[in-house]
Amino acid sequence: MIEFDTTNSTIEDLYKHRSIRAYKTAPLSKELITQVVTAGQRASTSSNLQQYSVVIITDQAKRDKLAELCGGQKHISQAPVFMAWCADVSRLRRAAARVNAPNEIGYVENFLVSAVDAALAMQNAAVAAESLGLGMCYIGGIRNNSQAVIDLLQLPEGVFPVSGMTLGWPDANPIHRPRLDVNAIMFWDTYGTDNEEALLEAYDDKMIETGIYDGRQIPADPNNPNAKPQRYGWQSHSLRRVSAPKRVEMSDVLKKQGFKLK
Ligand SMILES: Cc1cc2nc3c(=O)[nH]c(=O)nc-3n(C[C@H](O)[C@H](O)[C@H](O)COP(=O)(O)O)c2cc1C
């Protein structure tokens, strides 16, 4: 069990978050979806450039296709709404083209700014949705086959899907996953790692206690037989997740989408 901070309803709502991977089939109205996205737009945005967009997908056949493209994630088919949150520098490019103005918005800086903008908006939308009793789950799997997603959603140059999000009325009551001790991620004045090992070991204990890894352990990397055996906790699980290169084609897809990445 995590300890809730109930100082006020905003903080309490943040503590209540958990990703929902089972949904009731009831559709969501356009008004409700629009309300959630509009609240998302209230997030800060770099220089007020608002370099992000979101494509809403309710069509069942398209959600089924996206479920497949995102690595066979059934909750994408099941949730009535899938949102594709995108970094988007294309709007300002079109505005520049209309008045023959120069624009230099394809660099790493611009990708980072637009991806951060998208992340802030989607997290605001997530908090708004949860405050209304809706459930959500981010879908990084949208980057498993980014080119196919770009084609399916007809994303123009300058638009890249950063994360998906399933949305709907929850049909599950999952646990609140404990987080790392705040002192493992928060430092005063200078970065420090003095107590890190002990904090990570303590977190392993907490996560093992939830039973979350029972029946879903990632196999050890057969190419690394010299790795020291570990008990299966957060460290072991996470190290197995990061032991192989992932989505290595992404820089090529980004370049094809008009992000120079220089
Ligand atoms: C950017 C991002 C991508 C994610 N991608 C997926 C995903 O593809 N599928 C999924 O089921 N959960 C996904 N998640 C959810 C995380 O697994 C989840 O947030 C994490 O395990 C913590 O659990 P909690 O959200 O219930 O607290 C993603 C989360 C983030 C922030």
Side-chain angles (χ1 to χ4, degrees):
M1 268 303 281
I2 67 164
E3 206 176 306
F4 276 53
D5 180 340
T6 56
T7 304
N8 63 39
S9 61
T10 304
I11 293 178
E12 192 172 355
D13 276 358
L14 294 174
Y15 274 79
K16 281 186 192 157
H17 160 78
R18 62 262 210 282
S19 295
I20 297 295
R21 297 183 177 84
Y23 297 89
K24 303 204 166 103
T25 52
L28 306 187
S29 70
K30 275 196 169 168
E31 290 72 24
L32 185 59
I33 298 167
T34 306
Q35 182 184 21
V36 165
V37 172
T38 309
Q41 282 186 283
R42 296 312 309 165
S44 295
T45 154
S46 189
S47 306
N48 202 25
L49 297 182
Q50 304 172 62
Q51 295 192 104
Y52 62 92
S53 292
V54 58
V55 182
I56 312 292
I57 299 102
T58 56
D59 177 72
Q60 183 69 56
K62 248 187 192 168
R63 282 188 286 115
D64 289 346
K65 184 67 191 168
L66 283 161
E68 182 195 316
L69 292 175
C70 295
Q73 302 199 50
K74 290 196 185 76
H75 40 301
I76 299 172
S77 284
Q78 203 211 2
V81 173
F82 183 83
M83 296 174 152
W85 290 91
C86 303
D88 185 355
V89 299
S90 76
R91 194 177 300 111
L92 281 176
R93 279 191 184 157
R94 287 189 294 275
R98 280 194 286 273
V99 294
N100 275 331
N103 79 81
E104 286 291 348
I105 41 183
Y107 292 85
V108 169
E109 163 67 4
N110 307 108
F111 177 61
L112 199 56
V113 161
S114 52
V116 169
D117 263 15
L120 297 178
M122 67 177 123
Q123 178 59 17
N124 251 27
V127 172
E130 289 176 337
S131 78
L132 294 165
L134 290 160
M136 54 71 61
C137 183
Y138 285 115
I139 303 292
I142 200 171
R143 300 185 309 273
N144 280 8
N145 290 288
S146 22
Q147 187 60 58
V149 171
I150 287 165
D151 295 343
L152 182 71
L153 304 183
Q154 298 176 20
L155 305 181
E157 264 201 19
V159 184
F160 185 81
V162 173
S163 181
M165 186 192 284
T166 52
L167 190 68
W169 301 111
D171 196 19
N173 189 18
I175 61 157
H176 294 92
R177 291 189 188 185
R179 296 294 194 253
L180 286 163
D181 187 293
V182 70
N183 294 307
I185 60 109
M186 177 180 73
F187 312 110
W188 301 96
D189 297 327
T190 52
Y191 195 95
T193 57
D194 286 354
N195 204 20
E196 183 173 81
E197 192 175 350
L199 291 172
L200 297 193
E201 291 291 327
Y203 187 52
D204 276 345
D205 292 341
K206 255 194 196 173
M207 288 296 276
I208 289 168
E209 207 180 300
T210 65
I212 210 163
Y213 302 124
D214 299 350
R216 54 184 294 268
Q217 299 193 354
I218 301 170
D221 178 3
N223 299 319
N224 189 10
N226 298 326
K228 281 192 201 160
Q230 288 175 290
R231 67 207 169 108
Y232 200 96
W234 177 82
Q235 293 186 80
S236 197
H237 188 72
S238 304
L239 291 179
R240 290 180 192 195
R241 287 200 80 141
V242 298
S243 66
K246 218 175 169 188
R247 301 168 182 152
V248 289
E249 75 297 340
M250 205 176 316
S251 64
D252 289 338
V253 178
L254 274 165
K255 282 178 199 150
K256 196 160 167 248
Q257 270 308 88
F259 292 89
K260 295 179 202 159
L261 300 185
K262 279 206 276 191

